[in-house]
Amino acid sequence: MTKCKFCNKESYVKLKSPKIHLCKEHFIEYFENKVEKSIKKYNMLNKDEKILVSVSGGKDGHAAAWVLKKLGYNIELFHINLGIKGFSESSLKAVEELAKKLNVPLHIINLKDITGKTLEDIRGKKCSICGITKRYLMNKFGYEHGFDVIVTGHNLDDEVSFILNNILNWNIRYLAKHEPVLPAHDKFLKKVKIFFEIEEDLILKYAEAENIPFTTVKCRFAEKAITLKHREYFNELEKLRPNIKYQFLAGYMKNRRIFKCEEDENFEFRECEICGMTSAGRICSFCRVWKLYKNKNKSNSK
Ligand SMILES: [Zn+2]
Ligand SMILES: [Zn+2]
């Protein structure tokens, strides 16, 4: 039996750097310290802030809520029922279990109540519409209910695959925008990714070690996303060069200023003509993808 580096118990996980074995208890301690260090390093959160954690039912958001609660932060949970058959039911169940175990308030919004439709009902790029929808509804809810910050479970694997995807497409503008902390402006709340530097594998190990409830049911619309392919290459590369994901991200953080352009920094946002939230254009992307301007015209003509 392989033993823990710090005690006589059986190894639960082998870390890549430093290359050591840890038992379950020492791994939990290691993981929570690592998250706390990240929070301090990027000045992500403080204990006076009212934090809204986005939970989709999956391990990342759930582990984020769990670790923040253990570290003594003031959190509440936010979930959107997207109305995707099979997936949404099991997500909802996991989210409710989590809220009960953590003993924190859970806010649930039904997409259909707001847009009249579910994600099942729409045609077109469901993944990108889903992303726009989640970001918008979470921000609007947080803004209207006096939260200071929104935390999401995006992890190191998400970040490196987004960055790679934006390099492949030369989306220079998006390349300037991968940050662990996005400061608040206008009606946009501060947004924080506490797992920015933390690998997905470790989050899964932590969720299992702590018996955190989560669902493994995947959204069937997400399967073709190209960023899933990027994750696979990165995991292959990790086998040849351990820690390459972290090094790629660290190099990006050091050099990301080269992608910033003045035009974007001085960009003036306005208020969406339909919903009044902060928007880059006349109508925000949420109102645009859900065609909410049509509803407005209808109700005006009544
Ligand atoms: Zn140990
Ligand atoms: Zn709008």
Side-chain angles (χ1 to χ4, degrees), residues 4 6-7 23 26:
C4 170
F6 302 109
C7 72
C23 69
H26 279 117

Side-chain angles (χ1 to χ4, degrees), residues 171-179 252 256 259-261:
N171 289 331
I172 301 290
R173 294 212 156 145
Y174 286 113
L175 270 172
K177 290 176 185 165
H178 295 280
E179 305 273 352
Y252 165 79
R256 72 195 190 286
F259 300 113
K260 293 234 191 271
C261 52

Side-chain angles (χ1 to χ4, degrees), residues 59-110:
K59 66 182 185 318
D60 300 308
H62 286 210
W66 192 273
V67 70
L68 286 177
K69 172 83 179 177
K70 274 187 91 180
L71 294 173
Y73 289 92
N74 175 15
I75 64 157
E76 296 188 17
L77 309 179
F78 179 76
H79 178 72
I80 303 169
N81 185 344
L82 298 164
I84 299 170
K85 285 183 197 99
F87 173 73
S88 290
E89 289 87 346
S90 78
S91 301
L92 187 61
K93 199 171 149 251
V95 164
E96 282 171 341
E97 249 179 88
L98 177 76
K100 210 170 148 196
K101 267 193 151 180
L102 288 177
N103 192 24
V104 294
L106 165 63
H107 308 281
I108 299 173
I109 277 193
N110 287 305

Side-chain angles (χ1 to χ4, degrees), residues 36-265:
E36 206 166 23
K37 262 191 220 158
S38 247
I39 292 175
K40 295 226 164 79
K41 177 175 165 188
Y42 295 110
N43 198 11
M44 288 177 174
L45 299 168
N46 67 61
K47 301 217 163 140
D48 308 323
E49 284 172 320
K50 207 176 154 197
I51 300 169
L52 189 61
V53 184
S54 160
V55 286
S56 65
K59 66 182 185 318
D60 300 308
H62 286 210
W66 192 273
V67 70
L68 286 177
K69 172 83 179 177
K70 274 187 91 180
L71 294 173
Y73 289 92
N74 175 15
I75 64 157
E76 296 188 17
L77 309 179
F78 179 76
H79 178 72
I80 303 169
N81 185 344
L82 298 164
I84 299 170
K85 285 183 197 99
F87 173 73
S88 290
E89 289 87 346
S90 78
S91 301
L92 187 61
K93 199 171 149 251
V95 164
E96 282 171 341
E97 249 179 88
L98 177 76
K100 210 170 148 196
K101 267 193 151 180
L102 288 177
N103 192 24
V104 294
L106 165 63
H107 308 281
I108 299 173
I109 277 193
N110 287 305
L111 181 60
K112 198 167 185 176
D113 295 342
I114 293 164
T115 60
K117 286 181 190 153
T118 68
L119 219 66
E120 293 271 353
D121 302 332
I122 48 160
R123 275 184 243 156
K125 291 185 172 178
K126 289 191 203 268
C127 274
S128 79
I129 293 176
C130 182
I132 290 168
T133 302
K134 287 201 271 194
R135 278 191 296 276
Y136 174 88
L137 291 176
M138 193 162 58
N139 182 72
K140 187 162 191 276
F141 183 90
Y143 176 77
E144 288 171 351
H145 292 82
F147 285 88
D148 299 300
V149 49
I150 287 167
V151 167
T152 58
H154 292 99
N155 58 46
L156 174 61
D157 298 61
D158 295 321
E159 294 310 316
V160 292
S161 52
F162 289 150
I163 294 169
L164 180 62
N165 200 43
N166 285 330
I167 292 174
L168 290 177
N169 294 300
W170 291 114
N171 289 331
I172 301 290
R173 294 212 156 145
Y174 286 113
L175 270 172
K177 290 176 185 165
H178 295 280
E179 305 273 352
V181 179
L182 282 176
H185 71 85
D186 305 287
K187 292 180 184 173
F188 285 134
L189 292 188
K190 176 169 110 176
K191 295 194 184 65
V192 167
K193 298 168 183 169
I194 62 163
F195 294 150
F196 190 71
E197 291 186 331
I198 312 235
E199 248 190 285
E200 184 169 18
D201 285 4
L202 292 186
I203 298 171
L204 177 62
K205 280 281 183 191
Y206 178 73
E208 287 171 349
E210 288 278 83
N211 283 316
I212 300 173
F214 67 89
T215 175
T216 52
V217 178
K218 296 269 176 266
C219 171
R220 66 178 192 283
F221 300 125
E223 274 155 24
K224 285 169 206 145
I226 192 156
T227 44
L228 285 182
K229 275 276 161 218
H230 298 334
R231 284 160 188 274
E232 288 170 23
Y233 324 136
F234 269 113
N235 285 330
E236 282 302 308
L237 290 173
E238 279 282 328
K239 288 179 196 157
L240 300 172
R241 259 181 62 193
N243 229 16
I244 195 166
K245 283 183 232 176
Y246 179 76
Q247 285 161 9
F248 182 65
L249 185 81
Y252 165 79
M253 288 302 283
K254 222 169 112 190
N255 296 299
R256 72 195 190 286
R257 277 217 63 85
I258 58 176
F259 300 113
K260 293 234 191 271
C261 52
E262 234 173 82
E263 223 180 291
D264 275 4
E265 282 178 20

